[in-house]
Amino acid sequence: MKIYGEKKFKLTLSGVELTSGKGPAINNQCKKRAFVHLTEGTTNRLADVASYSEEPRYLNGGSSANEDRKGCFFSEGNLIFSGTGILVVEGNYKHGIAADGYFYMRPGVTIAVTEAAKNAIHAKGDEDDNIGVYMGGGLIYANVSSTAGKGIKTDLDAEIAGGKLLLNTSGDATYDTDEKDTSSSAGIKTDGNVIISGGTHILKSTGTGGKGINADGEILISGGETTVTTTGGKFYYSSNLTSSPKGVKADGNITINGGKLNISVTGKSDGSEGLESKATLTISGGEVYAYAYDDAINASSAINISGGKVYAYASNNDGIDSNGSLVISGGLVIGVGTSAPESGIDCDNSNDFKINGGTVISLGGTLQSNPSTSSTQRSVVYNGVSAVKDTKICVLNSSGTPILTFEFPRTMNGTTLFFSTPNIASSASYTVSSGGSLNDYADSWNRWYGGGTWSGGSQVGTFISSSVVTTIGSNSSGGGGMPGGGPGGGPGGW
């Protein structure tokens, strides 16, 4: 089906099955807005062929040389999908759905791209409307096995306000001769920003160098629940041209103020990171869970956390790593790293590391830099810990009330436990107990427990909060028990 015209139009699909042997199944050469309505209760199927040939009809003496034909459903103009029907697309030549304008999807629509020789949905975008891809609801399913293939790709912004994304990519990265750089598969890839404010989304990439979300601009997450999984390793074209797998990556800032973000990056290679900003990462709300082989959370310029809940677990590096400043002023923050020299929370310069609020827990082989003494909330660096997985430790004040309870997520020897809560008071004494039980706690999240009553267990140390940052014991990569931290401090393992 080919469409020419000079005005916007509506195209209704009601149980259509189109297979083209020459070009796109639907070829819209009209540059005006196209409204595509999927009739309720219908399934519509489109397929093209792997190699395009000349079509029988062209307008005004045209030819395939001067008419774009970039996918199974191609449009020169903007595409707006509505209705409650289903559209199944098999893109054997290039993209599944391609638009030189924007791709806009209203609630109720179901689109399944079962095959794409390159990208499932590819939208150049409309600069006048500043829209690349907009999803207000519905469902998009994409299964892309092509080299460096994307589930959704746009030159502008991708905004996901609701609905459900199920995006699977399995192709390996490659070297792009035009860009003179590597190109990798991704669930969502934009030259602009990615904005997620609602919906439930699952993105998975299994090829080398694969990404879940990859934005050249910024990423803003304010709602919904997004789960990203990558399993591939690092792609090598040359020693200077590589592509590492990432869960969620932005060349610009990443801002999270709501919603849930679950990330798992299991490829065992350098650079296999969970949540990465090449600029500043800001978290003021929501929940972030990041697991990665390399750094679970990393930012080049700064990390600022003022609210929400953050859990970062690295199987071979730092839990949270800022290459610039790191300021925590609220929320619950847990960072778990590996043995020395890695850290649960890593900031290279003490002057750039400040704790001004929130509950903070770090477990790793060391703490690269203690927080600045200009921090407004007290913290404790407890060196020489022997941590046993699934063992709870509890920090109690002089009245026996728990101010911090944490269950170790891994077994480690000679590690550093760093913690900070608003309940650590100046010159107050505290007891650390292990092996007991916590009852009637008010809240819990990823091995942290709030409130409750501690019973049993054995005392493994005491300390006095004598300064803004209280350091106890010396760091060692070897084994050892819990060091004594002041009067009454005693030995013992965790």
Side-chain angles (χ1 to χ4, degrees):
M1 174 190 294
K2 181 181 283 191
I3 301 166
Y4 289 105
E6 297 180 356
K7 295 183 178 181
K8 61 185 180 182
F9 64 93
K10 179 180 179 181
L11 174 64
T12 299
L13 301 181
S14 299
V16 171
E17 292 197 15
L18 292 175
T19 299
S20 174
K22 293 183 175 294
I26 296 178
N27 183 357
N28 174 32
Q29 291 295 316
C30 176
K31 296 183 179 181
K32 298 297 183 179
R33 188 178 304 164
F35 297 86
V36 182
H37 185 79
L38 306 178
T39 302
E40 180 181 0
T42 67
T43 297
N44 305 274
R45 301 180 183 276
L46 306 177
D48 61 1
V49 290
S51 179
Y52 284 4
S53 59
E54 285 286 338
E55 296 178 3
R57 295 180 178 83
Y58 294 93
L59 188 67
N60 297 326
S63 69
S64 60
N66 55 28
E67 282 190 2
D68 283 339
R69 300 186 297 171
K70 299 175 183 175
C72 182
F73 190 142
F74 173 72
S75 177
E76 280 282 352
N78 300 326
L79 281 176
I80 300 175
F81 286 88
S82 64
T84 57
I86 300 170
L87 177 62
V88 181
V89 179
E90 183 180 322
N92 296 296
Y93 169 72
K94 198 170 185 180
H95 308 305
I97 298 175
D100 279 352
Y102 61 64
F103 172 94
Y104 192 106
M105 182 165 152
R106 291 174 172 165
V109 175
T110 297
I111 293 177
V113 181
T114 57
E115 288 287 342
K118 192 169 184 182
N119 303 327
I121 294 174
H122 182 100
K124 184 176 181 180
D126 189 320
E127 293 185 354
D128 292 336
D129 292 327
N130 197 28
I131 300 174
V133 170
Y134 179 87
M135 181 178 180
L139 168 66
I140 295 178
Y141 166 85
N143 186 40
V144 182
S145 58
S146 57
T147 299
K150 281 78 171 173
I152 294 174
K153 169 66 172 73
T154 177
D155 294 356
L156 298 179
D157 297 350
E159 182 172 354
I160 313 299
K164 190 169 188 176
L165 294 174
L166 297 174
L167 308 178
N168 300 307
T169 63
S170 57
D172 291 333
T174 188
Y175 177 72
D176 190 318
T177 56
D178 293 332
E179 298 292 333
K180 308 243 184 295
D181 200 357
T182 59
S183 177
S184 60
S185 294
I188 300 174
K189 171 66 173 77
T190 71
D191 295 348
N193 307 316
V194 174
I195 304 155
I196 300 176
S197 58
T200 302
H201 316 297
I202 300 175
L203 288 68
K204 184 175 183 180
S205 177
T206 59
T208 57
K211 278 75 171 177
I213 300 175
N214 186 6
D216 290 353
E218 300 185 0
I219 294 175
L220 171 62
I221 299 175
S222 60
E225 181 169 2
T226 303
T227 299
V228 173
T229 302
T230 72
T231 62
K234 193 172 187 175
F235 169 77
Y236 292 88
Y237 178 75
S238 68
S239 59
N240 296 322
L241 285 169
T242 63
S243 180
S244 296
K246 309 285 182 181
V248 176
K249 172 187 174 291
D251 288 347
N253 299 329
I254 295 178
T255 302
I256 300 171
N257 54 38
K260 292 183 179 181
L261 180 59
N262 310 304
I263 301 171
S264 176
V265 178
T266 59
K268 294 182 178 181
S269 61
D270 175 56
S272 296
E273 295 177 323
L275 177 63
E276 182 189 36
S277 167
K278 293 296 186 181
T280 297
L281 169 64
T282 301
I283 301 174
S284 60
E287 295 184 11
V288 177
Y289 177 96
Y291 173 99
Y293 179 79
D294 204 323
D295 295 338
I297 295 177
N298 178 280
S300 297
S301 299
I303 296 177
N304 301 311
I305 303 175
S306 60
K309 296 176 180 178
V310 179
Y311 185 92
Y313 184 105
S315 63
N316 199 54
N317 210 325
D318 299 319
I320 299 173
D321 183 4
S322 175
N323 300 121
S325 64
L326 173 58
V327 178
I328 300 173
S329 57
L332 171 62
V333 181
I334 302 171
V336 181
T338 54
S339 57
E342 315 307 345
S343 304
I345 297 176
D346 181 13
C347 184
D348 295 336
N349 192 326
S350 179
N351 293 328
D352 297 326
F353 182 18
K354 294 182 180 180
I355 305 291
N356 296 330
T359 297
V360 184
I361 302 169
S362 169
L363 180 69
T366 186
L367 190 69
Q368 292 286 357
S369 298
N370 289 354
S372 169
T373 55
S374 64
S375 299
T376 59
Q377 180 171 291
R378 291 175 172 262
S379 56
V380 176
V381 181
Y382 222 140
N383 293 305
V385 173
S386 291
V388 178
K389 185 179 180 181
D390 299 331
T391 298
K392 288 187 179 68
I393 61 100
C394 185
V395 181
L396 303 106
N397 64 17
S398 58
S399 300
T401 301
I403 67 164
L404 182 89
T405 305
F406 182 60
E407 184 177 87
F408 287 115
R410 68 190 338 161
T411 296
M412 300 179 71
N413 291 322
T415 60
T416 296
L417 174 68
F418 168 80
F419 58 90
S420 177
T421 84
N423 298 318
I424 301 176
S426 174
S427 301
S429 61
Y430 297 89
T431 300
V432 181
S433 178
S434 174
S437 59
L438 185 72
N439 299 308
D440 301 324
Y441 49 86
D443 194 10
S444 66
W445 190 75
N446 281 308
R447 297 177 178 263
W448 163 86
Y449 300 86
T453 302
W454 181 262
S455 61
S458 59
Q459 178 179 309
V460 293
T462 64
F463 67 91
I464 296 174
S465 177
S466 56
S467 61
V468 173
V469 182
T470 300
T471 301
I472 304 164
S474 60
N475 179 264
S476 172
S477 59
M482 182 70 179
W494 289 85

